[in-house]
Amino acid sequence: MSAAPGPEAGPGESVPADIKVVAAGAICWRTRNGELEVLMIHRPRYKDWSWPKGKLDAGETTPECAVREVQEEAGVRIRLGIPLPATVYPVASGMKIVHYWAARIEEGKPEPDGKEVDGVRWCSPAQAHAELSNPSDRQPLRALVEAHAEGRLRTWPLIVVRHAKAKPRSSWTRAEGDRPLAATGLRQAQAVSRLLAAWMPVRVVSSPWVRCVQTVRPYVKSRAVKFKTVDAITEHSAKRKPGKARNAVEALFDKAKPVALCTHRPVLPLTFEVLARHMPAGLSIGLPDKDPFLAPGEAIICQVSAAEEGRILSLERFRAFDD
C-alpha cells in the first residue's frame, strides 16, 4: 500500500517509524496433481530455507523489489498475485519488515543463482512449514494456504493508472487532448513501466489524449502488449456521457486477462464507482474518495478472482517515482 515515504521505503510507500529495513519477496506457488506446492530457496550464508526476498534498491517500490529478488535468487520471472501478510522481526540495525505476495511463474525454470542461493525446491506447504528456518516466514505461508483452500489464489490483475505529470493547463494554448507530459512526467512514465511490469498486464487500455498515451507507451513498447485507446474515458467524453465511461471500465472485466487502464483525474471517480460494484463493502472503503484521488503516475491494483467472475479480492495502491 502507498502513502508518504518512510524509512528506506520505496517511492510513495510508508512504514512504521520503528522499521529500519524494508524488504520484499514472494511465495511462488503451483498445483501438481491437484495438490498445492510452494517454491523454497536455500541460502548457504545463513544455512536456512526461506522464501526469495531482499532489500529495496534505491528508487524501487516493494512490488518491483519482490519481482527482482525472485528473478535474481530463483531465476524465474513472476507475476504478482494477492498480497500476503508482511513479516516483521529484529535484525542488527533494528526492526525489519518484509512485504510478500503470492506469485505465479511466467517465464523460466527455477534454479539457484549459485551465490546467495545454492538450492531451490518445490515442496508441499506442510514440508515448507517444517523446514522454514525463520518462524515468521510461516505467517505468509499460512495465508497462502488459506487463500488456496478458499479459491482465492487464482486471480488476474486489473490496474488503474492516473497519467503522469503533464504540462500545466495554464501554459497550454492548444487543444487539451494534445497537452503532453512535462519532463518530470516523462521520467514518471518510465517508472510506471517498471511498476506495471510487476503484474505484467497483457493489454493496456488508455484515453487517446497525449498525456495518457505517453504515460503507458514505455510499458507497451517494452512488453509488446496489446494497446487500445477508448474515447469514452477522456475528460470531455466522460463529463458529457458518464455512462459510456463506466461501460468502458466495466468492459475491462470481459476478457478476464491482466489489464491496465490509464485515464485522467476527473474520470477516476467514475472508474472507482465501477470497481466498487465488484468488491465486498469492506474492501471498497479502501478506494480513494477525495480529489485528486490518485497522484500523477499513481496506480490502484485489483486482483480479480479467476473462479468468481468479476469479483475483486484485493486492493493495493502504489506510486511511481516522482522527483
Side-chain angles (χ1 to χ4, degrees):
M1 298 290 188
S2 70
E8 294 194 35
E13 297 173 76
S14 66
V15 294
D18 60 338
I19 298 294
K20 302 302 181 185
V21 181
V22 180
I27 303 182
C28 300
W29 66 276
R30 70 180 185 184
T31 53
R32 297 293 292 269
N33 300 319
E35 298 295 323
L36 179 66
E37 293 183 340
V38 291
L39 184 68
M40 302 183 72
I41 63 168
H42 184 265
R43 301 181 299 175
R45 177 183 176 186
Y46 301 102
K47 298 180 181 179
D48 69 351
W49 285 96
S50 64
W51 313 121
K53 62 181 182 295
K55 292 190 292 184
L56 273 65
D57 284 345
E60 190 176 48
T61 61
T62 49
E64 293 169 64
C65 175
V67 171
R68 176 182 56 76
E69 286 290 341
V70 174
Q71 187 161 25
E72 290 178 357
E73 296 188 338
V76 292
R77 186 71 173 80
I78 60 171
R79 172 183 285 126
L80 298 183
I82 60 171
L84 299 172
T87 62
V88 180
Y89 53 91
V91 292
S93 59
M95 298 302 293
K96 178 178 181 178
I97 187 169
V98 185
H99 298 271
Y100 283 106
W101 284 264
R104 298 297 301 273
I105 294 175
E106 297 294 326
E107 301 170 7
K109 181 180 179 181
E111 48 186 38
D113 66 2
K115 298 177 183 178
E116 293 186 32
V117 175
D118 64 356
V120 297
R121 59 177 292 202
W122 289 103
C123 60
S124 70
Q127 290 172 317
H129 186 276
E131 294 188 19
L132 284 167
S133 303
N134 187 339
S136 66
D137 284 347
R138 295 181 181 129
Q139 183 181 4
L141 173 63
R142 285 192 292 266
L144 184 139
V145 171
E146 181 179 335
H148 178 257
E150 295 174 354
R152 293 187 288 108
L153 266 189
R154 292 189 180 277
T155 61
W156 56 272
L158 187 160
I159 305 165
V160 176
V161 183
R162 178 184 169 187
H163 68 72
K165 189 173 183 179
K167 290 188 175 182
R169 292 179 194 266
S170 58
S171 63
W172 188 253
T173 57
R174 284 173 278 174
E176 180 62 15
D178 294 335
R179 184 159 60 94
L181 296 181
T184 295
L186 291 171
R187 292 191 293 273
Q188 279 183 338
Q190 297 293 332
V192 168
S193 177
R194 295 191 294 271
L195 182 63
L196 289 178
W199 294 277
M200 296 175 66
V202 297
R203 60 192 181 109
V204 175
V205 177
S206 172
S207 159
W209 286 10
V210 169
R211 52 191 180 272
C212 286
V213 174
Q214 286 182 319
T215 298
V216 294
R217 181 180 292 156
Y219 178 77
V220 172
K221 290 181 67 175
S222 67
R223 301 294 302 184
V225 299
K226 293 181 179 179
F227 177 64
K228 179 182 179 181
T229 59
V230 177
D231 290 334
I233 56 172
T234 64
E235 287 187 30
H236 290 173
S237 294
K239 185 175 182 179
R240 291 195 307 269
K241 298 180 179 180
K244 282 196 171 183
R246 293 188 188 95
N247 290 342
V249 178
E250 185 66 42
L252 299 176
F253 291 88
D254 292 348
K255 294 184 179 180
K257 291 183 178 180
V259 61
L261 172 80
C262 184
T263 189
H264 310 264
R265 176 186 57 80
V267 188
L268 292 174
L270 298 174
T271 304
F272 296 153
E273 279 182 35
V274 176
L275 297 184
R277 296 177 199 154
H278 291 263
M279 296 178 181
L283 192 60
S284 64
I285 60 173
L287 286 167
D289 60 358
K290 294 180 181 179
D291 196 15
F293 307 103
L294 295 175
E298 192 171 16
I300 288 284
I301 297 89
C302 303
Q303 289 292 338
V304 187
S305 172
E308 298 180 69
E309 186 175 345
R311 181 176 174 82
I312 294 174
L313 301 177
S314 68
L315 177 66
E316 300 175 274
R317 181 175 176 179
F318 294 96
R319 188 171 74 237
F321 175 77
D322 186 354
D323 62 357

